[in-house]
Structures are given as C-alpha cells and as structure tokens.
Amino acid sequence: MSITTLGQFIIEKQKDFPYAKGELSRLLRDIGIASKIISREVNKAGLTQILGDHGSVNVQGEDVKKLDIIGNETFIWALAKGGEVCAMASEENDDMILLDGEFSKNGKYVICIDPLDGSSNIDVNVSIGTIFSIYKRITEQGTEATQADILQSGNHLVAAGYVVYGTSTMLVFSTGKGVNGFTLDPSIGEFCLSHPDIQTPKDGKVYSINEGNAAEFPQGITAYLKWVKENDKSTSRPYSARYIGSMVADFHRNLLKGGVFIYPPTAKSPKGKLRLMFECIPMSFIAEQAGGISTTGAQRVLDVEPTEIHQRVPVIMGSANMVNKVLEFMKM
Ligand code: AHM
Ligand code: MG
C-alpha cells in the first residue's frame, strides 16, 4: 500500500524535533481529529439546522454562525482533552482560554486558532477553513500560562497550518521544514499525504483582493491594480482576478497555482481587516515555508511583535515575484 496517513507521517517526522517528547505529534494528531469532526459537520450543515446566524455577535462585532460555535467548541474540547496545550486563543473568544485540567496545566504548548474562517460563506456552500498556529509556552510548565505565552511573533512558531473544507477536505501544515498537504479520505476517515513538499510558484497570474473597497485603497495598491489590468499587451490577458472571500480557500489556490493575496488597509479598517495572530501569522509561515513572501507592506508579517490578541494587520502574500511587484508600486 502506498498511502501515508497523517499519523504515520507525524511519527516518521518526530525525529526532526529532538526536544519534543511526542507532545507535538500528539497535538498535531488532536488537530487532525478536531478537523475531521468539523469536516463532518460542514458536510452535513444544510441538513442539520446548523446554518444561519446563531444570534450572538463575536468580539469583532460580526454575527456568529452556529458552525462557528461548533468549530470553536470542538477545538477547545480536542485540545483540552489532549493535554499538550496549556492555553489557547481563539478568534471567537475575547480573551485567552486557560486549559487548566490535570494534564493541560503542564502542557508545553499554546495554540492560536481561527476555528472557522470565512464564515460568511457557510450558508452558501462555499469553501471555509480552519487556521492554527502552535508556539512553545515561554512561562514555566506547571505554572498558569499568561498572555505573554500567546503574544509571540511568528518567528517563534513551532508549527502552523490550515484545513480547507472544499471539494475535498485538506490539511496543510508546516513544522518549519517545508509544507505538506493531506487530503481526507472519507472512506477510511484518515488524512492521507497527497501534496508532499509544496513549493509555491515564484510567479502567478492570479490577484486576490476585495476590489469593492477600491475607493479606500492606498495609492500603491490602486496603482498596482491599474497595472495588472493594463498589462495585457501579449496575445492573452496575463492576470485574472479571483476572490472567494474565504482567506483559506483564496490562499490555498494561490499557494498551489501561484498568485498574490492582498488585504490592504481601508478607511473602514485602517490597520487591515485580517487578524495577525489567527490569520496572518500562520498563513505567512506557510507562504514562506513554501518559498513565497508575506509582508504587511512595511515589514515581514512574521517579524511583527504582537501587542494584543485580536490585533489586525494589512497583508500582501503569495508568489515572491508578484508580492515584490506590489511592493514596488507601494514604494513609488
Ligand atoms: P472571518 O474570520 O470573520 O470569517 O473573516 C475573515 C475573512 C477572510 O476569510 C477573508 O479573506 C476576508 O474575511 C474577507 O473579507 P471581505 O469580505 O472584507 O473581503
Ligand atoms: Mg477568520
């Protein structure tokens, strides 16, 4: 048999982490389990009355959908049960969550999670995703975790990744040694290695940005968008706009095919819309590990020192040559 399951892959790679005593492997396994549960719920969402607004509003002021709550609770459950994580931060919760069960308080890791990203797409059967990042705690094991354990820059990541609930469910992650993608085989209930060592193309034809906000874009972004449309002197049009409005899905397409994803500052969101801890750091880590670039326009996203859990930053990420082209326009 030539398949490699996520579990087998993790065991094979455990030797890459001499400091780890298996906790990271178990943590990745727990994330895999939570993702499979969410995938199951997403797949039957239209049948089981879990579509639609839940009626509450999250800390960002957005309606919370029922599936968001299921996703959040599933991850909290899986991570609390696993015992490797002492604290977590979720896009759905105001504050960090201490996992202070008997085993968890000795957990070596903290995790940041966006359990269901792209939630406005849930009701219309469009791809959504989960995004996660894992850090080693900086406070001593056995003591109560603090916010400082969570507020670490992307340079301190141990691992990060995402799950895209698309035409199939895929888990893509990196432990800092390249990027690997696993597709869920529903017939055996296992994530199987389908995309080993993903390298993102240096160039691409796709630009992904919400141009509905164009009137509010910084001048450099406006100039870039004019250029991509003008740049059609060859026989075929070189660039295509593709924007799903689900960061995981937009990012995943661009990662595999080449492209640039941009969420600039706007008048409504002067610091950008996307969250540093939950969305930008983990996706930037994957982009860089696959040979791409990710920047706020002013600095590497992974160099940003976080000051608050729900901090937002602008982001330009994807194929190296495309990101550099955007930066050229921003410098003009
Ligand atoms: P969410 O975490 O509330 O779902 O919001 C994040 C999403 C991203 O997935 C997506 O890239 C972006 O918001 C879309 O925003 P906009 O509708 O402003 O283009
Ligand atoms: Mg999100």
Side-chain angles (χ1 to χ4, degrees), residues 25-73:
S25 302
R26 289 199 293 276
L27 175 50
L28 289 166
R29 178 207 58 194
D30 295 342
I31 291 171
I33 292 169
S35 305
K36 283 194 256 184
I37 294 173
I38 296 173
S39 179
R40 184 191 66 196
E41 297 303 317
V42 167
N43 282 327
K44 62 181 188 187
L47 299 170
T48 52
Q49 309 293 311
I50 51 175
L51 294 178
D53 293 352
H54 182 258
S56 58
V57 167
N58 75 6
V59 290
Q60 319 287 343
E62 301 147 334
D63 290 334
V64 174
K65 310 278 180 174
K66 289 181 191 173
L67 260 176
D68 299 37
I69 293 183
I70 294 169
N72 202 30
E73 286 174 354

Side-chain angles (χ1 to χ4, degrees), residues 293-306:
I293 294 182
S294 181
T295 167
T296 64
Q299 67 181 136
R300 215 174 134 240
V301 171
L302 299 186
D303 286 339
V304 177
E305 290 296 339

Side-chain angles (χ1 to χ4, degrees), residues 62 91 114 117-119 210 243 245-247 261 263 273-275 279:
E62 301 147 334
E91 197 189 285
D114 183 353
D117 183 66
S119 42
N210 185 349
Y243 191 74
S246 252
M247 185 194 204
F261 176 90
Y263 209 111
K273 176 189 176 188
L274 299 176
R275 293 79 167 168
E279 291 154 339

Side-chain angles (χ1 to χ4, degrees), residues 228-246:
V228 280
K229 287 172 203 135
E230 277 169 355
N231 198 353
D232 63 353
K233 16 190 182 340
S234 58
T235 46
S236 61
R237 182 170 51 98
Y239 295 104
S240 289
R242 293 283 183 273
Y243 191 74
I244 297 168
S246 252

